[in-house]
Amino acid sequence: DHYELFVDGTRSGDDIPAGTLETAPAQDLAEGVHDWKIAAVDRAGNRRDSAETWSIHVDRTAPTNVVLLAVEPQGTGSWVSSSIPTFEFEATDDFGGSGIDHYDLFVDGMPDGYNPVPEGTGVCATTCSESFDFLPDGPHEWYVIAYDRVGLSVTSDTGFFVVETQPPLAFDHTS
């Protein structure tokens, strides 16, 4: 005859007509993990709960922070001695959030070859390290966008550095 939706052990909403393949809770769910199941009810009032209970993680809050840590190999101040530097950064997600899914690294406004940096890999065990394509000598800027598992994002502040790969000019030492 109909179905009933239960969220966190409580019935949510009106009867769901038989044959319906989707429904939504009667009220918005708070952020966090919620368990849900369906019960089928026949015309005589007999009911059967679904054999399984499923979980859904509600996350409406973007990651809270992306911190730019360093550009390596670092010289003095913001000077870098490689045309293929490595960028170090980290991000956090609020308690109860879905967690960081991946990062996009941008240098001079351009993405890193559209190669997102996945969370939980060797490059992002605690802090992330990612190399960028060849960069010419001179000043550059960089930033990172962190995405959580539902696609919400936060953008870091912009960092600045200078690539200098040329050694000092030859000089004569006279005494």
Side-chain angles (χ1 to χ4, degrees), residues 6 8 21 26 30 39 44 61 75 77 82 93 95 103 110 112 116 122 127 131 139 143 146-147 151 164 171:
F6 291 83
D8 296 330
L21 299 177
T61 305
S82 173
D93 199 8
F95 175 76
Y103 305 89
M110 299 297 296
D112 179 22
T127 61
S131 296
Y143 65 92
Y147 296 87
E164 178 61 61
F171 62 94

Side-chain angles (χ1 to χ4, degrees), residues 2-16 23-26 29 34-41 47-50 52-56:
H2 70 275
Y3 299 106
E4 298 171 349
L5 171 65
F6 291 83
V7 178
D8 296 330
T10 303
R11 184 169 175 194
S12 179
D14 297 327
D15 292 350
I16 303 164
T23 190
L29 299 176
H34 300 275
D35 294 328
W36 65 278
K37 67 179 181 177
I38 297 290
V41 181
R47 64 182 308 108
R48 179 178 303 243
D49 289 344
S50 55
E52 297 180 49
T53 298
W54 297 274
S55 294
I56 184 170

Side-chain angles (χ1 to χ4, degrees), residues 120-138:
T121 63
V123 296
C124 284
T126 55
T127 61
C128 296
S129 296
E130 177 71 357
S131 296
F132 201 79
D133 298 331
F134 175 84
L135 295 172
D137 282 10

Side-chain angles (χ1 to χ4, degrees), residues 66-122:
V66 179
V67 178
L68 305 180
L69 299 173
V71 181
E72 301 287 343
Q74 189 169 7
T76 304
S78 62
W79 293 83
V80 177
S81 61
S82 173
S83 60
I84 305 175
T86 298
F87 299 86
E88 295 182 6
F89 49 90
E90 64 186 6
T92 56
D93 199 8
D94 278 339
F95 175 76
S98 60
I100 302 296
D101 180 68
H102 71 277
Y103 305 89
D104 287 336
L105 168 65
F106 291 79
V107 176
D108 298 333
M110 299 297 296
D112 179 22
Y114 300 98
N115 295 316
V117 181
E119 175 66 19
T121 63

